């Protein structure tokens, strides 16, 4: 994705003139300063109509970003943004832990075999390794050569925040902007990586949904929706096929509302789908191993229910899908398991899959910001 306003070289005088609401075009023998001093009525522009530069700023929101970036030293605010993100994360953690019945979680975990708990921890770690593949593939798409350890570090913190807090564009995107910008990436490159990773996730969701609802229909009777599983599968298949066809037949960038979207290489498309499908498989497996042994629930059924609950939680913008994700799982697993068992498994899942990674990511992010402050202080000249 490229910004059309930054696709070519810029003239500083033109940018300043655009920000002031004036045009850089002058008549022969007329200087820009003399022209800017002429009243608007004498220049042939009606005062009741916005100027061309104002219409450009309205039609292209990215122009406002460029204007603010020229007027404010945004780089100086990066530590402040990082501190605010950490405060928000700490606040969410306190509220989740306060409302979480830890005694019930401990009692449920005490009845689970230690091998199941260890497997859940291992699958959670594997899931974050798979999640780092989104960011690694995004770097290949952008053409940035960043060491994998930094990509994995940013992915772990970003996805731990976004999965537990919600609003991935704000939480995960904000963390990535802070980390990637400190490592030399431009704002346009960071925006492209975030967008490409998001497209990869939804592409995999659609592909997996088409497979589950067309090949192995998931019962929706518990949700009381007058929708056939085959219709959902077909609705998931259409955007997947459209994306594959578009990237296969088109080589030029796709321009949407002033934004230029570069077509990915052909080998990236199956990797995008594979990463997202593997992500959902592993994440659902964490919940599956936390169910009691001998539960009469097939893995494919749980995978379909997990995907429905996950997408509903993401679209709700509730932190961690709290209430939405849990409610759908309880409703659709109620015919097979008692409510107390499902609630216990969900609470255990949230502790292992959300709370612990969020705690580790918060400590890691705080350590990163501390090191950044120490380095900035050491670089200041002494009196």
């Amino acid at each position: 994705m490229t910004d059309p306003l930054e696709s070519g070289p810029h003239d500083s005088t033109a940018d300043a003139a655009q920000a002031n609401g004036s045009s850089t075009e002058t008549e022969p023998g007329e200087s820009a300063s003399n022209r800017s001093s002429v009243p608007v009525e004498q220049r042939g522009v009606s005062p009741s109509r916005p100027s061309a530069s104002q219409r450009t700023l309205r039609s292209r929101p990215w122009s406002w970003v460029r204007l603010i970036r020229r007027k404010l030293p945004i780089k100086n605010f990066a530590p402040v943004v990082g501190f605010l993100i950490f405060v928000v994360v700490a606040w969410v953690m306190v509220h989740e832990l306060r409302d979480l019945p830890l005694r019930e979680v401990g009692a449920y975990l005490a009845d689970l075999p230690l091998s199941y708990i260890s497997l859940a921890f291992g699958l959670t770690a594997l899931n974050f390794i798979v999640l780092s593949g989104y960011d690694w593939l995004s770097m290949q798409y952008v053409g940035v050569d960043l060491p994998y350890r930094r990509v994995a570090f940013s992915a772990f913190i970003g996805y731990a925040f976004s999965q537990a807090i919600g609003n991935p564009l704000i939480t995960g995107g904000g963390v990535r902007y802070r980390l990637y910008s400190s490592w030399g990436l431009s704002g346009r490159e960071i925006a492209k990586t975030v967008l490409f990773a998001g497209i990869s996730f939804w592409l995999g969701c659609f592909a997996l949904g088409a497979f589950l609802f067309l090949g192995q229909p998931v019962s929706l009777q518990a949700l009381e929706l007058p929708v056939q599983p085959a219709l959902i599968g077909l609705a998931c298949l259409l955007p997947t096929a459209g994306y594959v066809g578009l990237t296969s037949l088109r080589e030029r960038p796709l321009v949407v509302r002033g934004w230029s979207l570069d077509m990915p290489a052909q080998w990236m498309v199956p990797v995008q789908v594979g990463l997202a499908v593997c992500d959902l498989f592993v994440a659902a497996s964490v919940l599956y191993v936390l169910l009691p042994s001998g539960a009469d629930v097939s893995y494919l059924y749980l995978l379909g229910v997990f995907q429905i609950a996950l997408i509903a939680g993401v679209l709700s913008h509730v932190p961690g899908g709290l209430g939405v994700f849990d409610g759908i799982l309880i409703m659709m697993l109620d015919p097979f398991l008692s409510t107390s068992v499902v609630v216990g498994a969900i609470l255990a899942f949230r502790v292992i899959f959300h709370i612990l990674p969020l705690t580790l990511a918060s400590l890691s992010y705080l350590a990163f910001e501390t090191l950044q402050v120490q380095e900035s202080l050491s670089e200041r000249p002494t009196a």
Side-chain angles (χ1 to χ4, degrees):
M1 180 185 65
T2 58
D3 179 10
L5 298 179
E6 295 186 355
S7 59
H10 300 286
D11 183 74
S12 59
T13 305
D15 288 339
Q18 182 180 1
N20 294 328
S22 62
S23 174
T24 58
E25 297 179 0
T26 59
E27 296 293 334
E30 181 182 10
S31 64
S33 59
N34 294 335
R35 182 175 175 83
S36 60
S37 62
V38 178
V40 176
E41 294 81 356
Q42 299 181 15
R43 295 203 302 266
V45 180
S46 175
S48 61
R49 297 179 59 186
S51 63
S53 60
Q54 292 174 336
R55 292 196 300 270
T56 301
L57 290 176
R58 292 179 181 178
S59 61
R60 296 178 178 178
W62 193 255
S63 300
W64 292 105
V65 178
R66 291 178 52 211
L67 179 61
I68 295 174
R69 188 172 57 193
R70 289 197 302 267
K71 299 298 182 181
L72 297 178
I74 295 180
K75 292 184 178 180
N76 297 335
F77 290 95
V80 179
V81 173
F83 177 75
L84 292 177
I85 292 176
F86 179 78
V87 171
V88 172
V89 171
W91 180 84
V92 172
M93 288 179 58
V94 169
H95 279 259
E96 283 205 23
L97 291 175
R98 184 187 64 180
D99 299 333
L100 200 62
L102 297 178
R103 292 184 179 180
E104 294 185 14
V105 175
Y108 185 81
L109 291 176
D111 295 334
L112 285 174
L114 183 60
S115 59
Y116 286 13
I117 300 175
S118 302
L119 184 58
F121 278 108
L123 289 172
T124 301
L126 178 61
N127 180 254
F128 279 95
I129 295 176
V130 175
L131 289 173
S132 67
Y134 287 130
D135 290 46
W136 175 85
L137 188 63
S138 300
M139 292 298 168
Q140 307 304 311
Y141 170 72
V142 176
V144 175
D145 186 14
L146 194 66
Y148 175 75
R149 66 180 184 276
R150 290 186 171 181
V151 175
F153 179 78
S154 175
F156 170 67
I157 297 178
Y159 287 114
F161 284 6
S162 61
Q163 287 181 348
I165 300 176
N167 295 312
L169 289 179
I170 299 176
T171 55
V175 169
R176 284 173 177 80
Y177 178 81
R178 173 69 180 110
L179 296 176
Y180 287 152
S181 61
S182 66
W183 295 328
L185 273 71
S186 65
R188 185 172 61 183
E189 291 172 337
I190 298 172
K192 290 174 67 175
T193 59
V194 173
L195 178 61
F196 189 78
I199 292 177
S200 301
F201 170 77
W202 287 107
L203 183 64
C205 283
F206 288 133
L208 183 60
F211 166 76
L212 290 174
F213 291 101
L214 290 176
Q216 180 73 24
V218 177
S219 176
L220 299 177
Q221 296 178 359
L223 295 180
E224 299 181 355
L225 295 176
V227 179
Q228 295 296 325
L231 295 179
I232 297 180
L234 182 60
C236 292
L237 182 61
L238 292 179
T240 305
Y243 182 84
V244 174
L246 178 65
T247 54
S248 301
L249 301 177
R250 187 183 181 93
E251 296 181 356
R252 303 190 312 274
L254 178 65
V255 180
V256 180
R257 298 179 64 88
W259 292 87
S260 179
L261 308 177
D262 299 327
M263 294 295 104
Q266 290 298 309
W267 66 269
M268 291 185 179
V269 177
V271 178
Q272 285 181 275
V273 177
L275 280 173
V277 171
C278 186
D279 170 26
L280 294 171
F281 263 95
V282 177
S285 300
V286 177
L287 179 61
Y288 186 75
V289 300
L290 292 174
L291 295 177
S293 58
D296 188 19
V297 179
S298 66
Y299 176 75
L300 287 180
Y301 179 81
L302 178 67
L303 181 61
V305 172
F306 182 88
Q307 183 179 5
I308 294 174
L310 179 64
I311 294 177
V314 171
L315 296 179
S316 68
H317 296 289
V318 177
L322 196 62
V324 180
F325 176 83
D326 315 73
I328 293 178
L329 286 177
I330 292 173
M331 283 191 299
M332 300 193 72
L333 293 177
D334 184 67
F336 307 95
L337 299 169
S338 63
T339 303
S340 59
V341 171
V342 177
V343 170
I346 293 175
L347 293 175
F349 172 82
R350 286 198 173 274
V351 169
I352 296 175
F353 196 79
H354 286 162
I355 301 300
L356 291 181
L358 182 61
T359 303
L360 294 176
S362 301
L363 295 176
S364 302
Y365 189 69
L366 179 61
F368 172 82
E369 291 293 348
T370 303
L371 292 176
Q372 292 294 310
V373 172
Q374 292 178 351
E375 291 180 359
S376 62
L377 292 177
S378 63
E379 292 176 357
R380 289 184 178 180
T382 57

